[in-house]
Amino acid sequence: MTIENISCNKSFGGWHKQYRHQSQVLNCQMRFAIYLPPEAANKPVPVLYWLSGLTCTDENFMQKAGAQRIAAQLGMAIVAPDTSPRGDEVADAPDKAYDLGLGAGFYLNATRAPWNRHYKMYDYIVHELPALIEANFPVTEQRAISGHSMGGHGALVIGFSNPHRYSSISAFSPICNPSNAPWGIKAFTEYLGENREHWRQYDACELLKLAISEVPVLVDQGDADSFLDTQLMPHSLSDIATGKGYPLDLRMQAGYDHSYYFIASFIEEHLKFHSLYFK
């Protein structure tokens, strides 16, 4: 598969690069960013996949989180894909709402028209993008996954569903129980239909109830987050983990909100967490 480099910046001795490519899964052109630490010049390195939230692109995390410094120290690559398919032919919300359509792919495989032509973000993140990264960059098959808000939902769902593919999972302010949250209900109804049984495969709480294989999980949540009780509901996830003895650490952080100020404050601890589980 052909990839085209569109930007390149040196950072902490490594390289931040942006690429675009034609996605076979999403039927459109996609963009992703990758940070390669200095160590990647000499040998393959493990990869953290970062999934961003509603309205974001590959640029938000790479420009705002300040992750490159610690990734360079740990010898870890970071891959940040876009949050949804893009392009003139890609379906969008009729009212251009921020929580549906472009920028709101929800990391699932849509089954309803017109969304099912392009909105296959689950398959893109789990299969197509890693294959592309591993074929074109000096990385190993060691993977971790993390994300924020809608991306935190994606990281949890993808990690729980594919425990053999990821050594660890983390999330900031994730949508933990989207089947019962306004953002999730709206997106799932449009993308998957009204049968809630079809939603369970993309709900972290439902997946955790059934989880057999254990993958270490770290979740950070600000207690001043305006979405905490209505959209995110992290204690629902934590209660399930506690009940079955699953290795999930929910940390409530006093005074922090939903912003990248929060992410930047704790991203170093998340990268070090993932580094512990890379072989």
Side-chain angles (χ1 to χ4, degrees):
M1 186 180 296
T2 301
I3 61 174
E4 179 187 359
N5 179 242
I6 54 179
S7 75
C8 183
N9 304 94
K10 194 165 187 178
S11 179
F12 295 99
W15 293 93
H16 168 270
K17 300 182 180 184
Q18 282 182 307
Y19 290 86
R20 59 178 163 231
H21 71 103
Q22 185 66 30
S23 168
Q24 302 303 311
V25 169
L26 302 176
N27 296 308
C28 66
Q29 192 172 83
M30 289 294 287
R31 190 176 72 185
F32 67 87
I34 183 169
Y35 177 72
L36 293 168
E39 192 171 325
N42 301 313
K43 66 176 183 178
V45 297
V47 187
L48 172 68
Y49 287 86
W50 171 271
L51 309 183
S52 289
L54 290 166
T55 76
C56 292
T57 68
D58 64 289
E59 294 184 332
N60 296 75
F61 177 80
M62 291 300 204
Q63 294 181 3
K64 296 180 179 180
Q68 290 89 345
R69 176 182 62 84
I70 189 64
Q73 294 175 7
L74 296 173
M76 177 189 304
I78 301 175
V79 172
D82 203 346
T83 54
S84 70
R86 309 271 180 175
D88 293 340
E89 296 183 356
V90 176
D92 194 11
D95 59 356
K96 305 299 181 183
Y98 77 96
D99 54 357
L100 186 72
L102 302 186
F106 270 85
Y107 304 102
L108 51 72
N109 288 337
T111 55
R112 293 187 68 224
W115 313 105
N116 57 354
R117 184 181 176 197
H118 298 285
Y119 285 74
K120 305 283 187 180
M121 287 298 295
Y122 179 93
D123 281 352
Y124 179 71
I125 299 299
V126 175
H127 300 295
E128 186 177 32
L129 183 61
L132 184 71
I133 297 299
E134 290 163 17
N136 287 278
F137 299 97
V139 300
T140 70
E141 294 184 357
Q142 298 174 77
R143 312 176 196 96
I145 192 163
S146 185
H148 171 235
S149 194
M150 178 187 73
H153 141 78
L156 292 170
V157 165
I158 288 172
F160 288 154
S161 299
N162 302 274
H164 60 292
R165 292 184 65 86
Y166 304 97
S167 56
S168 54
I169 306 165
S170 77
F172 290 85
S173 315
I175 307 171
C176 294
N177 191 199
S179 298
N180 292 309
W183 282 335
I185 292 169
K186 179 178 181 178
F188 286 6
T189 301
E190 281 290 323
Y191 296 149
L192 304 172
E194 296 184 358
N195 186 340
R196 285 178 169 254
E197 285 299 310
H198 298 162
W199 300 6
R200 296 168 68 91
Q201 63 186 308
Y202 301 116
D203 189 308
C205 283
E206 297 300 324
L207 291 170
L208 184 56
K209 290 176 184 177
L210 303 175
I212 298 174
S213 299
E214 294 184 346
V215 181
V217 183
L218 173 63
V219 176
D220 269 323
Q221 172 65 60
D223 70 1
D225 191 322
S226 60
F227 303 115
L228 176 58
D229 296 323
T230 57
Q231 301 281 13
L232 308 178
M233 297 175 275
H235 290 102
S236 296
L237 187 72
S238 179
D239 289 346
I240 296 168
T242 299
K244 64 185 300 177
Y246 195 96
L248 185 149
D249 183 12
L250 169 64
R251 307 191 307 185
M252 297 300 298
Q253 304 291 0
Y256 287 91
D257 58 18
H258 201 72
S259 71
Y260 265 83
Y261 296 108
F262 172 44
I263 296 171
S265 298
F266 296 99
I267 191 62
E268 180 171 341
E269 294 178 29
H270 279 241
L271 296 191
K272 288 181 176 178
F273 165 79
H274 292 296
S275 182
L276 287 174
Y277 297 99
F278 285 139
K279 295 179 182 177

